[in-house]
Amino acid sequence: MTIPIYDEAARALASGDFRTSAPATEALSFGRVRAALEGWQAQEMAQAERSAATAQAEQAEIAQTDLGPGEVAQPDPSLAARFQAAFRDRAREVYAEQAKLEGYRVASDLRRAHRLDPEGFASAWDAYVSEQEEVLKAQDPVLAAATRRMLERQGEGEYQNIAEAAHARELATQKQTAITLLSDRQALHADDLLNDPDEERYLAAMANIEDDLGVLLESGLISASEAADFAESAQFDLTREWVRGEFSASLQAGDLGGAQGVIEALRAGQWFPDNERGRTLAAALERELNALLAAEAEDVENATTLALHNLQRIQSAALKGIDISEHEETLEQSVAYIREHGNPLQRQQGDERENAIGLALAAQPYIDNLPIYATDDFRRGIHDSLF
């Protein structure tokens, strides 16, 4: 059976008449309308699908935010599979963010607890990750595996940071220990040079220090610049103690000229490449020498005064007839010291007191034969004749 409007269109096409009749135009317009309606319906259905999926994602975000890490929000089982998938995908995304933030907090706590113990951190972190995985496995095995991978990456970064810090701390400790030992050894060399100044001893000490610095440099504990700085400092310290040892040895030998010669040699640049250091040390030694000379001069003055006092005390005893035999050594030492170190006035006073003592001793046998009532007058007469 042939539809009339399509028959008529076919005849028109065969005859070359391209004018469309009214019935044919109506048929074409209806097809367009139907296609438009079908397209609109498809768009509406797609938009409805998207809106429904978005709504489920929003519900998942709210639900998962309320739950927090440790539990995964689940979709309504009555929903179509595609809407359950939308819910589950968003819940997983939110959970992943929650797990990451919680991981940062736990990592911070464990990092403080195991600040320089990378293996301790690794053990504690692995226990935390395993616990999170076990909690999730029953609810969402896929999310459990993904969360474990994420936390393992996070923990690895923390582990590396702690391991590097521990290694740096260990190197710093080793370096400090080595420098301390080297400094102690240098101090021993310095004491040796101060007590027994000798050029060969100085050269041997510097060679030992340079060998030790070479070992530290090869081990990487110190840099080349640090080794050079330490060697320069050690050279200055050992040279200074060597020079001070020469200076002290001259003083101990009573060779003031030798001590002054050390000072002049320093000023002339004999020991230090940087002669500013030599001049500084020379000034310090000269102050020390001058202070020593001043102290010795003061000691001599005090000792002379004491010797005169001793003579005065012995003289007074002798004039009173007291036995002074136990003071004979003090008498001789005092007279000798005054004659060697005293000024002219002090030597005169010493001679006068020595003479008075001698006169008192010479008169003692005569006084012993006088009546008791006459002895005081006689002694007073001797005193008046002397002073």
Side-chain angles (χ1 to χ4, degrees):
M1 177 179 179
T2 304
I3 300 174
I5 58 173
Y6 292 111
D7 241 6
E8 183 179 345
R11 286 196 298 272
L13 181 61
S15 65
D17 185 359
F18 293 101
R19 291 173 297 171
T20 305
S21 65
T25 299
E26 291 175 2
L28 289 174
S29 297
F30 175 75
R32 291 192 188 97
V33 170
R34 185 173 64 181
L37 289 173
E38 290 174 350
W40 173 81
Q41 184 180 18
Q43 290 177 4
E44 287 298 311
M45 290 182 65
Q47 181 60 38
E49 287 278 341
R50 287 193 295 272
S51 297
T54 299
Q56 289 303 311
E58 291 173 351
Q59 289 297 319
E61 182 166 352
I62 294 171
Q64 186 58 53
T65 300
D66 291 340
L67 287 176
E71 186 176 354
V72 185
Q74 300 297 325
D76 186 343
S78 65
L79 294 174
R82 59 187 181 277
F83 298 132
Q84 289 190 40
F87 185 101
R88 190 173 288 110
D89 288 345
R90 184 55 186 155
R92 287 171 174 172
E93 290 174 359
V94 174
Y95 185 91
E97 291 298 323
Q98 292 173 327
K100 182 183 291 186
L101 292 175
E102 180 66 9
Y104 286 141
R105 187 191 64 77
V106 173
S108 179
D109 292 341
L110 294 179
R111 185 170 59 249
R112 286 192 294 271
H114 304 279
R115 189 168 60 90
L116 296 174
D117 180 14
E119 299 308 321
F121 172 85
S123 177
W125 183 257
D126 184 63
Y128 168 73
V129 173
S130 297
E131 180 184 356
Q132 298 305 304
E133 183 181 27
E134 286 301 316
V135 170
L136 284 175
K137 271 184 178 179
Q139 303 176 56
D140 193 330
V142 174
L143 182 59
T147 301
R148 181 177 187 87
R149 289 192 298 271
M150 182 271 293
L151 291 176
E152 285 178 343
R153 289 193 300 271
Q154 190 177 28
E156 179 62 24
E158 295 289 348
Y159 173 85
Q160 292 298 331
N161 291 336
I162 295 173
E164 289 174 4
H167 180 63
R169 177 66 175 272
E170 178 63 23
L171 286 180
T173 301
Q174 292 178 5
K175 176 180 178 178
Q176 185 58 47
T177 300
I179 292 296
T180 299
L181 291 174
L182 188 55
S183 297
D184 291 345
R185 192 172 305 170
Q186 175 188 322
L188 292 176
H189 289 313
D191 288 343
D192 287 343
L193 288 168
L194 181 62
N195 296 321
D196 187 9
D198 180 76
E199 183 175 5
E200 290 185 3
R201 191 185 302 276
Y202 165 79
L203 294 175
M206 280 304 304
N208 289 338
I209 289 175
E210 288 173 356
D211 289 343
D212 292 339
L213 287 173
V215 172
L216 295 181
L217 186 59
E218 289 179 3
S219 67
L221 289 178
I222 61 174
S223 65
S225 61
E226 288 174 324
D229 289 344
F230 192 98
E232 181 181 357
S233 176
Q235 182 181 20
F236 170 71
D237 291 344
L238 294 183
T239 303
R240 180 192 60 213
E241 297 310 299
W242 174 22
V243 174
R244 291 184 65 84
E246 296 281 3
F247 178 79
S248 298
S250 296
L251 291 182
Q252 291 173 4
D255 183 7
L256 298 182
Q260 187 63 42
V262 171
I263 294 173
E264 296 303 325
L266 277 170
R267 288 194 173 119
Q270 177 174 333
W271 279 288
F272 291 98
D274 175 10
N275 202 40
E276 183 60 31
R277 288 181 168 181
R279 287 190 291 271
T280 300
L281 181 56
L285 294 182
E286 188 166 49
R287 288 192 298 271
E288 185 176 336
L289 178 59
N290 291 336
L292 178 63
L293 293 175
E296 287 184 351
E298 183 177 354
D299 289 343
V300 168
E301 181 65 25
N302 291 338
T304 304
T305 301
L306 177 61
L308 285 170
H309 173 73
N310 288 335
L311 290 181
Q312 177 67 37
R313 180 170 54 82
I314 295 170
Q315 169 195 304
S316 177
L319 290 174
K320 291 178 181 178
I322 300 173
D323 183 15
I324 62 169
S325 59
E326 65 180 10
H327 301 298
E328 288 180 358
E329 184 178 355
T330 301
L331 173 62
E332 293 176 358
Q333 291 177 349
S334 297
V335 170
Y337 194 89
I338 293 169
R339 287 175 179 171
E340 181 179 356
H341 299 287
N343 58 40
L345 178 59
Q346 289 170 331
R347 288 197 294 270
Q348 178 184 348
Q349 291 173 340
D351 290 341
E352 291 174 351
R353 290 173 185 177
E354 181 185 17
N355 291 336
I357 293 170
L359 180 59
L361 292 175
Q364 189 61 41
Y366 179 78
I367 295 174
D368 290 341
N369 294 320
L370 289 175
I372 294 176
Y373 63 83
T375 56
D376 287 343
D377 290 338
F378 188 83
R379 293 182 190 282
R380 191 177 300 110
I382 294 174
H383 182 275
D384 292 341
S385 65
L386 293 173
F387 305 101

